[in-house]
Amino acid sequence: MSDLIAQHADVDAADNEWLHLLVGDWQVVSDLAFADLVLWLPTREGGFVAIAQARPSTGATVHYDDIVGSMAPEGQRPQLEAALREVRAQRSREPRWFGAYAVREEAVPVVHEGRAIAVLARQTNLGSGRTPSRLELNYVEAADDIMGMIARGEYPSANGATGPRRGAPRVGDGLIRLNSEGEVLYASPNALSCFHRLGVIGPLVGQSLVEVTSGLVEHQSTVDESLPLVVMGRAAWRTDIEARGVSLSLRALPLTDQGQRIGAVLLCRDVTELRRRERELMTKDATIREIHHRVKNNLATVAALLRLQARRMDAPEARAALEEATRRVATISLVHDFLSQTLEEQVELDSMLKRALRMTADVASTRTVVRTVQEGSFGMIPAEDATPLALVLTELVTNAVEHGFPDGRESGTIRIVVERDGSQMRVVVADDGVGLGEADIAELGRQSRSGLGNQIVRTLVTNELGGSIDWRARAGGGTEVEIQVKLRDGTHRG
């Protein structure tokens, strides 16, 4: 829509925003009117271009094909021009025929700050040919009131709600018409059913809706402060009312004439099951978050116990083995700490890995100052791939520090290069240390005879990440380890 406006007309930012507000909230008008709505914008060349279109969900449509981007036909242009020039609605005296069915047309100027900036065409399919019911008559009367507001620049409401307070419920869910005092003029059968579930006995017509709802609200329950304004039709907001285990969503559309309130349209929907599922999801999310937090705490306890045990060991090899186990457990704990802060299926891993790798390099190096440098970004990683990937990288950095930089080197660098194309990821861990000989590289290729750390790395890469790993000598000295993995796409690999 923005592209069409910029292509065909010179519209300032305020008018552009007003047209977007109208299109964002006009489906309710189309449903009430049982009519297609087409927003026609005057072009620089003097014609009209369709920049938006809405079809009714309550009746037959006129345009089975999308007409957005097309120019207004010659036969319709005089009506659109008159509505724009005179700044008042223009209704055709005779219906226009679209193939086998007749269409009643009305052109309503879209007014903003006293100026007509576009024309809204209301096209009703007359093919049904049946006598309208009381419900349909009330729908159309409400639509007429809103179309009049559009022609006066009073709809949509510039101060209306956004986000979750706008939108659902829809016209077919339940409709109530109120007068200026908040008394019910008409309630559709679906609306009556909604309030009967709340505990209302008898008809609603003639009653003050705010008095009816105030008697339903339980004293101990939390009440939205906007509820009185919505049920009286004074605010274009949406709110919920809960009573006797039933949740009702209410949305008000105030009706005005020259700034004076003349009534309101209230839409309602029974959302009891929806709210129950939302509460279940919130409970499950909190449970998962708590599980991650407890796992992290338990792993931290295990790491602390291993650290204490390592300090009591006299044998250097046993102490080193326990310290390595402590580091691995601490890495898993760090990942769980990161996962406990989010419940998304995809997690951003760069910040956590930088922290883990920096800690690994600092712990593994005794006298040599080793810095880690990362090139590229891991991006969003599936949560179930985060733990094995973090363990693999910390193991590789630890091995590079321990074996690549023996005592006597003052400093060294470990470079981690990340290349990613969708789910395919290539990671190279390279150090500028003493390097590996051909015999050492051959030894690493035999999993059964390589060290425990390398066995862990190979197992995680091949089994958990479904990838491959390769050790080789680095040009210019040092060692390179290349990992190629295919990340999960959100589904579990069988």
Side-chain angles (χ1 to χ4, degrees), residues 345-347 380-387 420 487-490:
E345 293 184 0
Q346 302 278 333
V347 295
M380 301 301 291
I381 301 291
E384 50 191 332
D385 285 337
T387 299
R420 181 172 178 182
L487 301 174
R488 293 173 173 85
D489 59 358

Side-chain angles (χ1 to χ4, degrees), residues 138-415:
N138 276 276
Y139 277 18
V140 173
E141 288 177 8
D144 291 340
D145 290 337
I146 297 178
M147 295 296 282
M149 292 173 62
I150 294 175
R152 295 187 295 271
E154 299 174 355
Y155 187 90
S157 174
N159 299 320
T162 58
R165 293 189 177 276
R166 194 173 206 159
R170 302 185 64 173
V171 170
D173 297 325
L175 178 139
I176 296 175
R177 292 185 65 197
L178 306 177
N179 63 14
S180 59
E181 303 299 324
E183 296 177 347
V184 179
L185 298 177
Y186 172 78
S188 70
N190 285 346
L192 281 173
S193 298
C194 289
F195 276 87
H196 286 166
R197 295 188 191 101
L198 279 178
V200 177
I201 300 176
L204 286 175
V205 176
Q207 299 191 56
S208 171
L209 194 61
V210 70
E211 294 180 1
V212 171
T213 54
S214 62
L216 298 173
V217 176
E218 300 169 357
H219 296 293
Q220 293 81 7
S221 62
T222 303
V223 179
D224 191 332
E225 60 184 10
S226 64
L227 178 61
L229 296 175
V230 173
V231 296
M232 291 187 68
R234 294 180 179 270
W237 282 56
R238 185 182 70 81
T239 186
D240 287 355
I241 177 174
E242 296 188 9
R244 297 173 175 82
V246 176
S247 297
L248 200 65
S249 179
L250 306 173
R251 184 194 176 193
L253 299 173
L255 304 177
T256 60
D257 187 357
Q258 303 298 335
Q260 299 296 319
R261 210 162 51 84
I262 60 175
V265 173
L266 199 68
L267 306 178
C268 57
R269 178 188 177 190
D270 186 348
V271 292
T272 305
E273 183 64 18
L274 180 63
R275 295 293 178 264
R276 184 186 67 81
R277 293 181 180 179
E278 288 177 352
R279 285 192 290 267
E280 287 183 355
L281 286 176
M282 291 176 63
T283 302
K284 290 179 180 178
D285 287 349
T287 302
I288 294 172
R289 196 184 301 273
E290 178 64 20
I291 289 173
H292 275 302
H293 185 69
R294 292 189 181 186
V295 169
K296 185 263 295 185
N297 289 342
N298 290 338
L299 289 170
T301 302
V302 172
L305 292 174
L306 290 172
R307 192 176 299 111
L308 288 174
Q309 188 66 38
R311 292 173 182 172
R312 298 172 63 91
M313 285 293 175
D314 296 329
E317 292 184 356
R319 186 184 302 111
L322 287 175
E323 288 174 349
E324 286 188 1
T326 302
R327 175 182 50 76
R328 290 165 185 146
V329 173
T331 300
I332 300 175
S333 175
L334 184 63
V335 174
H336 271 282
D337 185 27
F338 186 78
L339 293 177
S340 68
Q341 301 173 22
T342 177
L343 294 175
E344 302 294 332
E345 293 184 0
Q346 302 278 333
V347 295
E348 196 277 321
L349 208 60
D350 288 285
S351 58
M352 191 277 294
L353 277 178
K354 286 180 181 178
R355 177 183 166 192
L357 297 178
R358 185 170 55 250
M359 178 183 67
T360 299
D362 292 342
V363 172
S365 60
T366 54
R367 300 178 183 178
T368 305
V369 178
V370 180
R371 66 188 186 100
T372 58
V373 178
Q374 179 178 325
E375 298 178 6
S377 173
F378 289 94
M380 301 301 291
I381 301 291
E384 50 191 332
D385 285 337
T387 299
L389 189 58
L391 278 173
V392 166
L393 293 175
T394 53
E395 285 291 338
L396 292 177
V397 170
T398 302
N399 290 343
V401 172
E402 291 179 348
H403 303 293
F405 303 100
D407 293 344
R409 287 283 299 265
E410 293 183 357
S411 63
T413 301
I414 298 176
R415 195 172 302 276

Side-chain angles (χ1 to χ4, degrees), residues 56-68:
S57 60
T58 52
T61 185
V62 172
H63 301 285
Y64 290 93
D65 296 325
D66 197 331
I67 66 170
V68 173

